[in-house]
Amino acid sequence: MMSSKAEVTYEQCMEHVKQYIHNPDNIQLIQDAYEFAKDKHEGQFRKSGQPYVTHCIQVADTLAQMPCGPSTIAAGFLHDTVEDCCDVTEQTITDLFGEEISMLVSAVTKIGKIKLQDEEDYQASNHRKLFIAMAKDIRVIYIKLADRLHNMRTLQYMRPDKQKRISRETLSVYAPIAHRLGMNEIKSELEDLSFKYLHPIQYEEIKELVKKRESERDEQVQVMIKDIQTILDTYHIPLRIFGRSKHFYSIYKKMTQKNKRFEEILDLYAIRIVTDSVVHCYEILGYIHATYRPIPGRFKDYIAMPKANLYQSLHTTIVEAAHGNIFEIQIRTEQMDEVAERGVAAHWKYKESSGNENRQKDIEDSLAWFRDFSLMTDEDSTDAKEYMNVLQRDIFEANVYCLTPRGRVITLPPDSTPIDFAYRIHTDVGHKTVGAKINGAIAPLNTPLHNGDVVEILTNNHSQGPSADWIKIVKSGHARNKIRSFLQKKDRENRKEEIKQGQQMLENEFHRLNLDEKLLDPKRVESIIGSLSFKNLDDFYIGIAKKRVSIQAVVERLAKNQPKSLADEEIIKMYNKSGARYASRNESGVIVPGIDSIQVSLANCCSPIPGDDIIGYISQGHGVKVHRMECPNISREAKRLIPVQWAIDVDDHMYDVRLTIYSDDRTYLLSDIITIVQQYNATLKHVDSGIDSNSLTATTHLDLSVRNAEHLRMIMVNLKKIRSIHSVERVTK
Ligand code: MN
């Protein structure tokens, strides 16, 4: 299949162009582009010794064969002018040829500058994706492919080391892209040319073997073709039938990858039948299967189910009885054949041309359609569109490819930021990041990165490290994990600091109150933290440091079983008076452990009820006043506090409480409230209600007698359920 293609002249190229471009303005545009390129490359020569512009003509011609529209062909002529001609800038092209062509030329120039310096890190798939992602426009890829094709065809003039490097790149980047775009012709030629430079010995070997077998093979194939032709002629189906040979690189791949001998591969004879309609494809298949024995499992219907790159064809493998030769047969329409050889661009030539006079315009439109993939809508979903969707998801959405200033490719998820980029380079770089430059300009750290952005991370060794906000900004799990573990480590250090601080605060309070430091023995402390809802000592000390628990409450508990350490004369007096050892009940329902016959009464300010956490206050001359633990009146009275507790049998007592109810003002609200109070057998002692006429809200005070905290809780829960009531609060007087 490999043949050194003859180079075309400018005139030949224009003949190809004029076969499908008829608009005089477009022809003029292409001619202008050629004249400009010829003028600017004047005096420049290729390594082959030819004038540089011949390269431009070959590139433009390849584009015309695809076929591409006038802008793309013009850009093909101009593709090297910005890079190679010192007086031509992007602006020059814009001024002379417009934004669109200028964009194509710049993109081609920009891609040409990608240098993957980081050989260790080199991944062909990344390079391929970067290439496509940077192109952004399918026409840029077409131009690059045409450019590379001609460079490969003239590679013999390069230094051997360059030949190998360029061939490797062609094989790993350009050929797969051509394949992906369904451009079989270009793909095969790129592969065979690369193969020739990368493995010259194997290349020559296979070339020789193919040549030797050719005449013999040709004979077999010709006989078969004649037979099939005869059969099909009787059915009057229009068709072309021809033998086809595999290209060298595909033979080499089969030999190495599938470990087959050359003969095994070449024993397969290949024939292609091209007809005018899909119906005829299936008819032809039927006649062939009726005549020859098909090999089971080898029939593939790519017409009903096209390949991802739009390839359509019927494949079958048959045995020819007389010699036992095996033939691979492909059956397809003219359109399918062209798409298979030339790729997606050819697709529109057919899609758009049928019955349309202004075919040229349509082809242009179709190609322009590629310009912005994001403009695609579902309503004109064709198979081609579906294919481009897949391509877009794969390449344009799956990842963002950015570069370090040194040209290393960094792969990131979509919408990633410079922070993600920094962590991808190195964890320490991430931690020390203080700023970023994107394409040379300072940018905020939450700026979303785009394909081809060159990102420079600014670091500072004295940086405080990542902040918690970064977790919300970053898009890569990698960066998120690194930030999280940094923050966790910092947290652990902070905790240690807070634990120390909490311990110190407690010690200070003990000193201030003149309490025995022995009470701060960790075992002792540990025994009380559960009742303050702390899981462990560390959390407890942090709780103190962060004031999540009142230090007074802690002191009270720690001093609980040490009445002497309260060292208040009043207590001693009480002991002396009672002389009793065991606690006993009194009217309040509260007992003071260890002290009998002491006057105990419930404080009016907070009205404790059974079930409340309580504490005793040693009043001067009025015995012990029992307060709720959270009563604001005792919070500053650590010295005069004494542990007390509810007697077990307090249920026959009723206790006073006060509630304040905030609600909207409405009729019957008070009646609803009183109903609930009665339902739960509480005694209503007093009620008053005030209305704010501005906001139309009502504040109601209730004085109730209840049995205990649980009883009160039930009443409050049900009061809250009443319509229009916003909140119900237990208050101190
Ligand atoms: Mn070039």
Side-chain angles (χ1 to χ4, degrees), residues 46 52 55-56 59 76 79-80 84 108 143-144 146-148 150-151:
R46 297 279 288 178
Y52 198 93
H55 168 65
C56 307
V59 170
H79 81 273
D80 276 330
D84 294 345
V108 170
I143 298 168
K144 280 305 291 183
D147 181 38
R148 177 55 59 109
H150 186 244
N151 288 339

Side-chain angles (χ1 to χ4, degrees), residues 400-416:
V400 175
Y401 301 91
C402 298
L403 299 157
T404 66
R406 289 189 61 244
R408 178 175 159 199
V409 179
I410 304 290
T411 310
L412 297 164
D415 296 323
S416 283

